[in-house]
Amino acid sequence: MRRKNPRLRGSPAEEARVYALRLLSYRSRSRKELTERLVQKGFDTDTVDSTIAALEQEGFIRDSALASELLRVAVEGKGLGREGIRALLTKRGIERELIKETLSGLTKETEEET
């Protein structure tokens, strides 16, 4: 059961949106990560689904942009190869097809350089 935050006095949908936006203010999150956090916080499935859909429509959740950014950080900052990047993207909740698409842009030369 969801505990009421005394600072939030809106509907569950408003509270879910505020919470989700707060999480997104710290760092970008995938659809899956944000869904898990909202469920963990105690919001019901309908509220979570509608909140996620609205945030995606508004451009706050963009798994493709997140995957591209994680690829860049993994290559430039962490020196990860293809399998390390795949593991990172999987851990962050990026869908398999999007991982495949993201990794298709990784050339052998780039991978060897890292």
Side-chain angles (χ1 to χ4, degrees):
M1 180 148 157
R2 186 171 47 84
R3 289 174 273 148
K4 280 287 200 180
N5 183 334
R7 293 179 294 168
L8 299 175
R9 302 204 191 294
S11 69
E14 291 168 339
E15 288 183 29
R17 180 180 175 79
V18 167
Y19 181 67
L21 289 172
R22 185 176 326 121
L23 290 173
L24 290 168
S25 74
Y26 301 132
R27 69 171 173 86
S28 296
R29 295 172 194 271
S30 68
R31 178 184 221 287
K32 182 180 178 189
E33 287 176 307
L34 205 51
T35 297
E36 288 172 353
R37 291 295 299 267
L38 289 169
V39 168
Q40 183 181 35
K41 188 74 170 173
F43 292 103
D44 66 74
T45 305
D46 290 338
T47 300
V48 171
D49 291 345
S50 64
T51 300
I52 296 295
L55 293 174
E56 281 181 321
Q57 185 176 9
E58 295 167 20
F60 287 106
I61 303 171
R62 293 184 20 232
D63 282 3
S64 59
L66 176 60
S68 295
E69 178 62 17
L70 290 172
L71 172 66
R72 187 189 65 74
V73 168
V75 170
E76 293 175 8
K78 298 182 179 189
L80 296 179
R82 187 171 297 274
E83 291 309 310
I85 296 167
R86 184 183 321 277
L88 174 66
L89 295 175
T90 300
K91 181 179 177 185
R92 291 290 304 271
I94 304 298
E95 292 181 1
R96 184 174 298 181
E97 252 333 283
L98 184 52
I99 291 173
K100 184 178 176 182
E101 181 182 317
T102 302
L103 289 175
S104 71
L106 182 65
T107 64
K108 282 260 191 225
E109 294 79 28
T110 303
E111 191 173 5
E112 289 171 1
E113 285 175 16
T114 61

